Amino acid sequence: MTGSNFFEAMFVSSPTVPTKVSSRTLRAAIEDALMTYTRVNLETVLAEELRLPWPHTDRQPSDSLYTKRDVIQAYTEGWDLSRLAGLARRIVTELDLTDAVLADLTALLAEYDRGGGVGTPAKNLIFAANGPKPELVLRDAVNNDIEIVRNSEYCLIYDQSIPADGLTFRHLIDWWRDRQRFDADVATRDVALDLHDRLRSSLANNPAELRVFDVYSKRYQGEQFDIPALIPQVYLHFDPATQHARRSAGESGSPLARQRMDFLILFSSRHRVVLEVDGKQHYARGDIASPALYSEMVAEDRRLRLAGYEVYRFGGAELVASSANDMLADFFTQLADRMR
C-alpha cells in the first residue's frame, strides 16, 4: 500500500465522532449502533433485552412497512436528551456490540458525562429502615460484598443492578412485586400503593421529610411511574458502633458523618442527587448553635460533591410553611428539567 493509499484508508476506517452532544447527534449514534442488527434480532433486542415499551397500539414493530430505522425511531419518538443518554448508556453497557460499532456512542456519552456525575456504578442500595439500623459485615472485602447480619427485617435492599438510565419508580414496583410475591393479576397501581406506604413508614412522624416525600409522590399520579424514584433513608456509610457506645468509650462521635441520606434520586447510574432536610439537630445542640456540627455537615457536603453527587438542602422551617408544597413542586420540576 502506498503512503497516499494508507492515509486514505486510515481516514475512511476511523469513526467520525460528533463533538456536540444533542438529541439529534445522540439519536443518530443510537440508530447507527442498533442498525447493525438484523431486522429480527433488532426487534428482540429492543423488546426483550432493552425492554423498551412499544408506544403504538394500532401497529406493531413487525409491520412490513417499517424499516429498521423506522422501528428504532418509533420506540424513541419524543424522547428528550436525558432519556436518550440513558438508552445510549444501556446500549454501551448491556449489549454485545463491538467497540468499533460503539465508538461514536461512547464518545458522545463521554462528552455528555463531562458535566459531572459519580464515576463508579452503584452496587448496594440499603434504604427505608423503619426500625433499628442494620448491622453489616463485609462478606467478601475484595468484591465489596455486604451482608446484613442483624435487623435486616427493618430495611429494604434493592438487590438488582442499578439500570444505566436511572432507577425509576416502575423499577422499584417490579422489584417489590417479586419481593412481596404479589399475584400476577394484582394491578400495578395496587403494588405501587403498597410500596409507597412501606417507603413512607420509614419517615416515622417527621413532618418535614413526609412533606418532601408526599409532594414528590404526586408526580406518580396517573401511573406516571417511569420517572426517577425518590428513595428515602438511604445508607451511605456504616459505623458498627452506636453513638452511645462511642461516647462511653470517650470518643467524641462517629468518624463517618451522615451515615444515612434523607433522600436519594438516581437519575442515571452516574447522576445522583441527594436531598437533605435540616432540622436544628444539624447545626445546634439543643437550642445552642454548634459551629462544630455545622462544620461536620458542610465538610460532608464537600466530600459528596467531590465524589460526583449533587446535594440540595432544605431548612426544616421552610418545609412547614404554608407555601412549602408549591415550593417543593416547583423545585422538583426544575430539577427534572435540569437533569434532562
Side-chain angles (χ1 to χ4, degrees):
M1 181 181 292
T2 67
S4 174
N5 289 338
F6 172 80
F7 283 108
E8 287 177 4
M10 181 179 69
F11 284 121
V12 168
S13 60
S14 298
T16 302
V17 180
T19 57
K20 178 67 174 177
V21 182
S22 67
S23 56
R24 177 187 64 83
T25 57
L26 199 53
R27 184 183 294 277
I30 288 171
E31 291 175 6
D32 289 345
L34 293 176
M35 288 282 287
T36 59
Y37 288 105
T38 65
R39 172 59 180 270
V40 172
N41 285 343
L42 175 64
E43 292 179 23
T44 301
V45 166
L46 292 170
E48 298 180 16
E49 296 181 25
L50 294 175
R51 299 180 65 184
L52 300 184
W54 179 249
H56 303 291
T57 57
D58 57 338
R59 55 191 186 278
Q60 295 300 317
S62 57
D63 192 316
S64 61
L65 295 177
Y66 276 135
T67 65
K68 288 196 294 185
R69 195 174 297 275
D70 289 336
V71 171
I72 300 167
Q73 291 176 347
Y75 266 106
T76 59
E77 183 178 355
W79 285 22
D80 60 20
L81 179 59
S82 65
R83 197 172 180 190
L84 289 169
L87 176 59
R89 207 180 306 280
R90 292 189 62 200
I91 290 171
V92 169
T93 58
E94 297 177 20
L95 299 185
D96 186 19
L97 293 170
T98 66
D99 291 342
V101 169
L102 294 172
D104 282 8
L105 206 53
T106 302
L108 283 169
L109 278 176
E111 183 66 20
Y112 179 80
D113 287 339
R114 286 180 63 186
V118 179
T120 54
K123 183 175 182 181
N124 304 301
L125 190 59
I126 303 171
F127 61 106
N130 59 3
K133 77 175 184 180
E135 294 187 15
L136 313 179
V137 296
L138 272 176
R139 177 60 61 190
D140 185 337
V142 175
N143 291 323
N144 193 31
D145 290 333
I146 291 175
E147 180 178 340
I148 299 179
V149 294
R150 186 175 298 172
N151 299 329
S152 61
E153 67 270 27
Y154 298 109
C155 65
L156 301 179
I157 307 168
Y158 188 78
D159 53 4
Q160 301 178 13
S161 298
I162 303 298
D165 55 346
L167 187 65
T168 67
F169 194 50
R170 189 176 299 278
H171 289 132
L172 285 183
I173 293 169
D174 292 342
W175 162 79
W176 189 246
R177 179 186 289 275
D178 291 341
R179 182 186 186 277
Q180 300 302 100
R181 299 180 180 177
F182 282 96
D183 292 336
D185 59 353
V186 176
T188 299
R189 182 178 181 276
D190 293 334
V191 179
L193 288 173
D194 189 73
L195 171 59
H196 171 273
D197 291 344
R198 172 59 184 84
L199 296 177
R200 197 175 189 275
S201 71
S202 69
L203 303 176
N205 294 316
N206 186 312
E209 292 183 2
L210 286 170
R211 177 158 285 186
V212 173
F213 185 79
D214 290 344
V215 170
Y216 192 89
S217 295
K218 290 181 180 179
R219 302 177 73 85
Y220 305 138
Q221 288 181 350
E223 300 196 18
Q224 300 296 308
F225 299 146
D226 293 312
I227 64 172
L230 181 68
I231 311 167
Q233 305 298 297
V234 180
Y235 276 91
L236 176 65
H237 305 306
F238 176 72
D239 183 352
T242 63
Q243 294 289 346
H244 176 73
R246 290 194 176 279
R247 286 193 297 269
S248 299
E251 300 176 17
S252 60
S254 171
L256 298 172
R258 198 182 310 160
Q259 294 186 49
R260 193 164 63 180
M261 297 177 282
D262 291 338
F263 298 99
L264 175 68
I265 306 176
L266 299 171
F267 283 93
S268 76
S269 57
R270 285 177 53 93
H271 295 89
R272 307 174 195 171
V273 170
V274 176
L275 306 181
E276 290 289 331
V277 176
D278 294 340
K280 66 179 182 179
Q281 74 275 11
H282 289 82
Y283 50 81
R285 299 189 188 279
D287 293 325
I288 301 175
S290 171
L293 280 178
Y294 179 77
S295 296
E296 289 178 6
M297 181 177 70
V298 296
E300 181 65 8
D301 279 0
R302 289 196 302 272
R303 192 198 68 78
L304 281 175
R305 290 191 179 109
L306 289 173
Y309 289 80
E310 289 196 24
V311 182
Y312 295 91
R313 291 190 164 276
F314 296 93
E318 67 177 327
L319 291 176
V320 296
S322 59
S323 60
N325 284 11
D326 291 339
M327 178 274 293
L328 284 167
D330 184 57
F331 166 78
F332 286 128
T333 296
Q334 291 186 56
L335 179 63
D337 289 343
R338 184 187 180 286
M339 301 303 292
R340 286 178 180 171

